[in-house]
Amino acid sequence: MLLLLRHRLNFVMNIRCFQRSFSATSLSPVQLPSPMETHLWYILPNEVKNASLLNQYLEILSPCEKENVFRMRGDQLQRRALLARALVRTTIARYQTNSQVKPRSLNFKKNIYGKPEVEWQDVDGSHLLPLHFNISHTSSIIACGVTVNSAIGIDVEEKQRKLKNNILAFARRYFSPYEVGLLTAISDPEFQRQEFIKLWTLKEAYVKALGRGFSTAPFKTFTIRFRTATRGHLSERRDSEAFDVVVDSFDDPKNLTSNWQFALLELAGSHYAAICIEGDRTTEGNGTRPMKLTVRRTIPFVEDECVSGSDAVVALVGLT
């Protein structure tokens, strides 16, 4: 307990001691995503080191969010939690082009399974379009996905993520027999590890898009399939070949398939990012369209950079 209090005190002091040395700009307004479009914003924590800026992020959090930040053990975990909440608030506030909604005024609620949602009716009395968002992070990247009128789930994983357990043993515990079979057929250990991470990232994005929690949608209850893949492996893609991700659900067949649209990409040269959004139900059975995606690297209040089409974003599956 003494150690935790010391971390909290140090964190606050380290932020506030330079609070007058930095002048931040306002948030630039952004046009709402179009139907079936996803906006993906990300922060690289190592790029955010200014103590005054961190203090500004702290000031836009709710009392409960601040307490959750301080509850983390160690400066790095506290900073990561702070950046995650600041990214959500500053990202959503950008879409109110009349600048009436400030990041601090946003209120959030959770659905019955604990997935966070914006409580729009409490924001300045406005009736706003239903923005959906989802967040994911590792120690080296924090990402937030945004859609309009479409449920979304995202996941980011480090490409060099190391697994303590044997990959196949781990897969047998969490993956479907079909997915285990795909991994078992791969003889190269590094290739197998990369394929495992891609599958894991896609499965986690799907569960988060469902919004029902991992306990109600275990990984073993559905299968990720890649249509048109020569042997089902992402790394065997030819330039002329387009993958279509399909979900086979064992427990709830009505909740799957063409109503869910996927994208998988390499992000910032070091991560895999998976996005799953709920598609237009009127097109069910007619195939899926590639997802439209805009990706921005940001340091909120400082700079934004659209990196779509750059080396920072390499499409693997499901993107135009």
Side-chain angles (χ1 to χ4, degrees):
M1 179 63 71
L2 290 176
L3 179 62
L4 178 60
L5 291 175
R6 191 178 301 117
H7 276 304
R8 174 172 179 166
L9 180 60
N10 288 340
F11 186 73
V12 176
M13 291 180 62
N14 288 339
I15 289 177
R16 291 181 176 170
C17 63
F18 297 109
Q19 60 183 6
R20 296 183 179 178
S21 66
F22 186 86
S23 177
T25 60
S26 60
L27 295 170
S28 300
V30 176
Q31 187 174 359
L32 291 166
S34 60
M36 302 310 297
E37 180 184 12
T38 298
H39 288 180
L40 184 67
W41 300 77
Y42 71 89
I43 293 178
L44 301 176
N46 287 341
E47 294 183 347
V48 187
K49 299 178 180 179
N50 186 283
S52 179
L53 182 60
L54 291 172
N55 183 61
Q56 187 170 357
Y57 294 160
L58 189 66
E59 291 305 311
I60 67 174
L61 268 55
S62 69
C64 182
E65 288 172 325
K66 292 178 183 178
E67 188 60 33
N68 289 337
V69 167
F70 292 133
R71 195 176 293 128
M72 298 291 175
R73 293 184 177 273
D75 290 348
Q76 293 301 316
L77 290 178
Q78 289 180 347
R79 187 162 68 103
R80 196 186 312 164
L82 171 60
L83 291 176
R85 295 314 306 166
L87 177 62
V88 169
R89 285 182 172 274
T90 56
T91 295
I92 294 174
R94 294 173 188 273
Y95 294 98
Q96 315 318 314
T97 54
N98 56 13
S99 300
Q100 292 180 351
V101 177
K102 297 180 179 179
R104 186 186 300 176
S105 70
L106 290 167
N107 292 301
F108 298 87
K109 61 181 180 180
K110 293 183 178 180
N111 69 10
I112 60 174
Y113 301 105
K115 184 177 181 179
E117 301 172 349
V118 183
E119 198 165 25
W120 290 115
Q121 63 269 26
D122 292 337
V123 180
D124 295 341
S126 302
H127 297 285
L128 306 172
L129 287 174
L131 279 181
H132 295 258
F133 74 94
N134 195 235
I135 191 165
S136 179
H137 58 81
T138 70
S139 61
S140 51
I141 198 169
I142 302 168
C144 181
V146 178
T147 57
V148 172
N149 286 318
S150 180
I152 180 173
I154 71 168
D155 186 48
V156 291
E157 299 287 346
E158 293 180 359
K159 292 172 62 177
Q160 298 305 315
R161 172 185 171 185
K162 300 300 181 183
L163 300 173
K164 297 180 180 179
N165 300 321
N166 176 273
I167 288 179
L168 290 181
F170 200 67
R172 291 187 186 100
R173 181 177 179 183
Y174 292 103
F175 285 7
S176 71
Y178 175 85
E179 294 161 338
V180 173
L182 288 181
L183 295 173
T184 302
I186 303 174
S187 58
D188 180 83
E190 176 59 20
F191 184 16
Q192 186 184 73
R193 186 180 68 84
Q194 292 293 319
E195 294 296 300
F196 174 89
I197 295 173
K198 293 172 189 175
L199 277 171
W200 183 279
T201 307
L202 286 163
K203 288 172 80 73
E204 187 154 349
Y206 173 66
V207 170
K208 293 174 73 176
L210 288 176
R212 300 185 308 185
F214 293 96
S215 61
T216 59
F219 278 9
K220 267 197 157 184
T221 62
F222 64 92
T223 292
I224 296 289
R225 297 180 186 269
F226 308 102
R227 288 198 301 218
T228 76
T230 304
R231 297 190 189 93
H233 301 152
L234 291 178
S235 300
E236 293 173 349
R237 175 182 179 178
R238 298 187 297 269
D239 290 341
S240 61
E241 201 171 40
F243 278 101
D244 185 13
V245 179
V246 179
V247 180
D248 291 338
S249 176
F250 311 135
D251 292 347
D252 191 0
K254 295 181 181 179
N255 236 338
L256 58 93
T257 66
S258 55
N259 281 341
W260 297 100
Q261 190 174 2
F262 289 84
L264 180 68
L265 56 142
E266 292 184 9
L267 187 61
S270 55
H271 292 76
Y272 292 123
I275 303 167
C276 176
I277 65 173
E278 188 172 18
D280 184 354
R281 293 184 181 274
T282 62
T283 64
E284 185 174 2
N286 298 323
T288 58
R289 296 172 296 171
M291 183 186 302
K292 184 177 180 181
L293 176 67
T294 301
V295 183
R296 294 180 176 89
R297 182 190 63 82
T298 183
I299 302 177
F301 300 128
V302 179
E303 64 177 7
D304 307 314
E305 178 187 8
C306 182
V307 295
S308 300
S310 73
D311 292 340
V313 181
V314 178
L316 299 177
V317 172
L319 295 176
T320 55

